[in-house]
Amino acid sequence: MDLNIFILRQGGWGFVYGALFIALYHNIVPFILSQWKNSDYAFCVFVPFIAAYLFWERKQAFSAPSQPSWQGIWWVMLGLLLYLLGELGGEYYSIFVSSWLVLLGLLWLHWGWCKLRKLIFPVCFLLAMFPFPNVVNNSLSLHLKLISSKIGVLLMHYLGISVFRSGNVIDLGFTRLEVVEACSGLRYLLPMIIVGILIVAQKRLFFWQRALIVVLAVPFSILINSVRIALIAVLYPLLGKGVVDGAWHDVIGWELFMVSIGLMLGCQFLLARFFPYVSGKTDRRVVKTDAVDAVSTSAMWGKVLVAVLLMLASLGITQERNFRAPVELAKPFSEFPMQFNDWQGRRMALGEEYLRGLSVSDYLLADYSKTGESTVSVYVAYNASQGKGKSTHSPATCLPGSGWVFQQNGIADLPVGEGGKLELVKRVLMVQNGDRMLGYYWFPQRGRILTNIAQMKWYTFLDALTIHRTDGALVRILTPVKEGESIEVAENRLQGFVRLVAPWLNQFLPGR
C-alpha cells in the first residue's frame, strides 16, 4: 500500500479528528504565531516543514500493517486533561503539549506501537515548534544573559579591554552595553539543540555519541554568544552603534551561528572517525510491501467513538460557561493608606511598557520611609481574572535580570493570612555589586497564601472548575540592608512593617 492509498484510507478519520482539533486548539494559533515573531523562537516556523520532510523520508513505514491499540486512548485522555488544565489554569504550554499528546494518542490508537515507532522521531520532533512557558523562558534567558556576560567580560579582559560588569550591563568607559534578550543566547541555544538532534538522527551512532553531540550544543551556544558579546565590544569603536543593534549585529550573529554548527559537525565527524558505529543487531529497515491492513472498519468504530466522545466532552466543558468571572478588589488600591504609624508612604507609577507586559487589573507601588530607618518598598499586582498569557508573574523570574543575585531563597512565617494567621511566604536575600536587599513575597489567591507559580496554576485550575474564579495577586515587600547593618536588623524592620500592612492588604484583596 503506497502513501497515496494510505492517505485515502485514513482520510475519513482524519476529517473528523481535524474538525475536533480545530475546535479545541484554534485559539492557541494566534499566540503561537505571535511567539514565532520573537527572534528567540523564529526557528519554530521551519519545524513543521522539517517534520513533513522527515515523514516523507520514512514514507515506506506507512506500508506496514496497522495494529490498532486501546493504549492510545490513555494518551488521548492525558492530553485532554492537560487541555483542561491549560484552559482553566491559564497556561499556554499545557495546551501545546496537550495537542501533541492527543495527536500521539490518536496515531497510537489507529496504527499501534509497532507501526508508530517507525515514525516516532518526526512525531516527537513536532514538539520543537512550541515556545517554552514564560516562567521557563524568562528564567533560562536571564541565566544565559548573566553567564554570557561573565564569560564575555573575561574574554574582553584577555584582549586587554578595560571593562566593568553590573549584572547584564557592561560598562566599557566610552559606552555601556546591555546584554538584552537579543543577546541572551536563547536564540543560539534552542536552534543548536535542534540542529544537533537532526545531525544525530541522520547518522548511525552509538547512543552515548548522540547524547554527547546534543548536550554539547549547550556549552557551544554559551561560548559562541560570549564571543559575540566580546566582538561587539571590540568592533564598537570601529563600526559604531550599528554593531549593537544594526545590520552588523545580525551579520556577526549569523556568522557565529554557522561557526557553532561547524563545531557540532566537527564533533560528529571525530566521534564517527575514532569510535565507528558497529551494530550487532539485525538491520530493521522498513521494507515496502503491498500488505493490506487486516483491521476492518467495524473493528475501529469503538475506538474512534471513545476518542471522539472524549474530545467532544472536553470541548463542551470549556465552552459551556465562563470559568473566569472577574472579581474586583474590595477597594481600589488608590485608597490604600500612605501612613502606618511613623511610616510615611509615597506612591509611584509603573511605565506604560511595564503595564502592557504585566496586564494587571490594579496595582500598588509605594515606598514607605521612617526616620532613622531604611525605606521599605511595597508592590502589589492584582488580576481580577487570570487566563492564558495573563497571569501573575514571580519575582524570581524578573529581579535577576537587573543584576540581583538570589543569595538566599527560602521561606518564612509571617502574619499575612486572614485575621493575622501565620502563613509561609517566600524570603529572599539578594546581592548586587555589594548592595544587599531583603524581601518577602507571596501570592494571595482566594483566601490562600501561595509561595510558587506551580501552586498558583494548580489552584487556578481547581477554582475555575469548581467556583469559576481565577483572581489572584502578588505581594512583594523589599528593604535594603545598609552597609554595616546586620541581616537580623533588616529582618526585624521588614517583619514589623509587614505586621502593620498585612491586615490592610487583606481588606483590599478579595477572600474566599
Side-chain angles (χ1 to χ4, degrees), residues 500-511:
L500 293 173
V501 172
W504 283 93
L505 283 173
N506 292 331
Q507 294 180 31
F508 282 72
L509 297 171

PDB file of all heavy atoms in Angstrom, residues 500-511:
ATOM      1  N   LEU A 500       2.126  45.592  60.182  1.00  0.00           N
ATOM      2  CA  LEU A 500       1.259  46.765  60.057  1.00  0.00           C
ATOM      3  C   LEU A 500       0.441  46.743  58.769  1.00  0.00           C
ATOM      4  O   LEU A 500      -0.735  47.114  58.756  1.00  0.00           O
ATOM      5  CB  LEU A 500       2.106  48.045  60.083  1.00  0.00           C
ATOM      6  CG  LEU A 500       2.831  48.390  61.390  1.00  0.00           C
ATOM      7  CD1 LEU A 500       3.747  49.580  61.171  1.00  0.00           C
ATOM      8  CD2 LEU A 500       1.827  48.683  62.503  1.00  0.00           C
ATOM      9  N   VAL A 501       1.061  46.296  57.686  1.00  0.00           N
ATOM     10  CA  VAL A 501       0.453  46.427  56.358  1.00  0.00           C
ATOM     11  C   VAL A 501      -0.465  45.260  56.009  1.00  0.00           C
ATOM     12  O   VAL A 501      -1.510  45.447  55.370  1.00  0.00           O
ATOM     13  CB  VAL A 501       1.568  46.563  55.286  1.00  0.00           C
ATOM     14  CG1 VAL A 501       0.987  46.506  53.882  1.00  0.00           C
ATOM     15  CG2 VAL A 501       2.326  47.860  55.498  1.00  0.00           C
ATOM     16  N   ALA A 502      -0.096  44.038  56.424  1.00  0.00           N
ATOM     17  CA  ALA A 502      -0.846  42.845  56.009  1.00  0.00           C
ATOM     18  C   ALA A 502      -2.336  42.923  56.320  1.00  0.00           C
ATOM     19  O   ALA A 502      -3.162  42.566  55.468  1.00  0.00           O
ATOM     20  CB  ALA A 502      -0.233  41.598  56.644  1.00  0.00           C
ATOM     21  N   PRO A 503      -2.755  43.379  57.526  1.00  0.00           N
ATOM     22  CA  PRO A 503      -4.208  43.462  57.775  1.00  0.00           C
ATOM     23  C   PRO A 503      -4.929  44.387  56.802  1.00  0.00           C
ATOM     24  O   PRO A 503      -6.078  44.125  56.415  1.00  0.00           O
ATOM     25  CB  PRO A 503      -4.279  43.997  59.211  1.00  0.00           C
ATOM     26  CG  PRO A 503      -2.975  43.613  59.834  1.00  0.00           C
ATOM     27  CD  PRO A 503      -1.981  43.724  58.727  1.00  0.00           C
ATOM     28  N   TRP A 504      -4.261  45.461  56.380  1.00  0.00           N
ATOM     29  CA  TRP A 504      -4.876  46.374  55.414  1.00  0.00           C
ATOM     30  C   TRP A 504      -4.968  45.734  54.041  1.00  0.00           C
ATOM     31  O   TRP A 504      -5.967  45.900  53.334  1.00  0.00           O
ATOM     32  CB  TRP A 504      -4.078  47.672  55.346  1.00  0.00           C
ATOM     33  CG  TRP A 504      -4.337  48.568  56.518  1.00  0.00           C
ATOM     34  CD1 TRP A 504      -3.636  48.625  57.689  1.00  0.00           C
ATOM     35  CD2 TRP A 504      -5.392  49.522  56.629  1.00  0.00           C
ATOM     36  NE1 TRP A 504      -4.184  49.557  58.518  1.00  0.00           N
ATOM     37  CE2 TRP A 504      -5.263  50.128  57.903  1.00  0.00           C
ATOM     38  CE3 TRP A 504      -6.427  49.925  55.791  1.00  0.00           C
ATOM     39  CZ2 TRP A 504      -6.136  51.118  58.341  1.00  0.00           C
ATOM     40  CZ3 TRP A 504      -7.292  50.902  56.220  1.00  0.00           C
ATOM     41  CH2 TRP A 504      -7.158  51.484  57.474  1.00  0.00           C
ATOM     42  N   LEU A 505      -3.931  44.985  53.649  1.00  0.00           N
ATOM     43  CA  LEU A 505      -3.967  44.302  52.353  1.00  0.00           C
ATOM     44  C   LEU A 505      -5.142  43.329  52.295  1.00  0.00           C
ATOM     45  O   LEU A 505      -5.821  43.219  51.269  1.00  0.00           O
ATOM     46  CB  LEU A 505      -2.656  43.545  52.115  1.00  0.00           C
ATOM     47  CG  LEU A 505      -1.440  44.371  51.695  1.00  0.00           C
ATOM     48  CD1 LEU A 505      -0.202  43.505  51.663  1.00  0.00           C
ATOM     49  CD2 LEU A 505      -1.673  45.030  50.344  1.00  0.00           C
ATOM     50  N   ASN A 506      -5.382  42.636  53.385  1.00  0.00           N
ATOM     51  CA  ASN A 506      -6.480  41.668  53.417  1.00  0.00           C
ATOM     52  C   ASN A 506      -7.842  42.344  53.292  1.00  0.00           C
ATOM     53  O   ASN A 506      -8.818  41.707  52.892  1.00  0.00           O
ATOM     54  CB  ASN A 506      -6.423  40.848  54.705  1.00  0.00           C
ATOM     55  CG  ASN A 506      -5.217  39.915  54.742  1.00  0.00           C
ATOM     56  OD1 ASN A 506      -4.735  39.475  53.703  1.00  0.00           O
ATOM     57  ND2 ASN A 506      -4.706  39.636  55.936  1.00  0.00           N
ATOM     58  N   GLN A 507      -7.919  43.631  53.626  1.00  0.00           N
ATOM     59  CA  GLN A 507      -9.183  44.362  53.462  1.00  0.00           C
ATOM     60  C   GLN A 507      -9.431  44.742  52.001  1.00  0.00           C
ATOM     61  O   GLN A 507     -10.556  44.965  51.600  1.00  0.00           O
ATOM     62  CB  GLN A 507      -9.171  45.632  54.323  1.00  0.00           C
ATOM     63  CG  GLN A 507      -9.152  45.371  55.814  1.00  0.00           C
ATOM     64  CD  GLN A 507      -9.139  46.665  56.607  1.00  0.00           C
ATOM     65  OE1 GLN A 507      -9.690  47.688  56.174  1.00  0.00           O
ATOM     66  NE2 GLN A 507      -8.504  46.641  57.779  1.00  0.00           N
ATOM     67  N   PHE A 508      -8.355  44.831  51.227  1.00  0.00           N
ATOM     68  CA  PHE A 508      -8.478  45.215  49.821  1.00  0.00           C
ATOM     69  C   PHE A 508      -8.630  44.002  48.900  1.00  0.00           C
ATOM     70  O   PHE A 508      -9.357  44.043  47.923  1.00  0.00           O
ATOM     71  CB  PHE A 508      -7.263  46.039  49.385  1.00  0.00           C
ATOM     72  CG  PHE A 508      -7.314  47.470  49.842  1.00  0.00           C
ATOM     73  CD1 PHE A 508      -7.132  47.812  51.183  1.00  0.00           C
ATOM     74  CD2 PHE A 508      -7.573  48.485  48.934  1.00  0.00           C
ATOM     75  CE1 PHE A 508      -7.174  49.124  51.590  1.00  0.00           C
ATOM     76  CE2 PHE A 508      -7.643  49.812  49.343  1.00  0.00           C
ATOM     77  CZ  PHE A 508      -7.441  50.128  50.675  1.00  0.00           C
ATOM     78  N   LEU A 509      -7.877  42.922  49.215  1.00  0.00           N
ATOM     79  CA  LEU A 509      -7.904  41.736  48.355  1.00  0.00           C
ATOM     80  C   LEU A 509      -9.124  40.870  48.652  1.00  0.00           C
ATOM     81  O   LEU A 509      -9.467  40.670  49.825  1.00  0.00           O
ATOM     82  CB  LEU A 509      -6.628  40.902  48.577  1.00  0.00           C
ATOM     83  CG  LEU A 509      -5.315  41.579  48.202  1.00  0.00           C
ATOM     84  CD1 LEU A 509      -4.141  40.748  48.673  1.00  0.00           C
ATOM     85  CD2 LEU A 509      -5.244  41.829  46.710  1.00  0.00           C
ATOM     86  N   PRO A 510      -9.793  40.358  47.627  1.00  0.00           N
ATOM     87  CA  PRO A 510     -10.965  39.509  47.861  1.00  0.00           C
ATOM     88  C   PRO A 510     -10.564  38.186  48.510  1.00  0.00           C
ATOM     89  O   PRO A 510      -9.502  37.629  48.220  1.00  0.00           O
ATOM     90  CB  PRO A 510     -11.536  39.291  46.454  1.00  0.00           C
ATOM     91  CG  PRO A 510     -10.383  39.520  45.538  1.00  0.00           C
ATOM     92  CD  PRO A 510      -9.518  40.543  46.195  1.00  0.00           C
ATOM     93  N   GLY A 511     -11.412  37.711  49.401  1.00  0.00           N
ATOM     94  CA  GLY A 511     -11.148  36.439  50.069  1.00  0.00           C
ATOM     95  C   GLY A 511     -11.877  35.302  49.383  1.00  0.00           C
ATOM     96  O   GLY A 511     -12.107  35.327  48.181  1.00  0.00           O
TER      97      GLY A 511
END
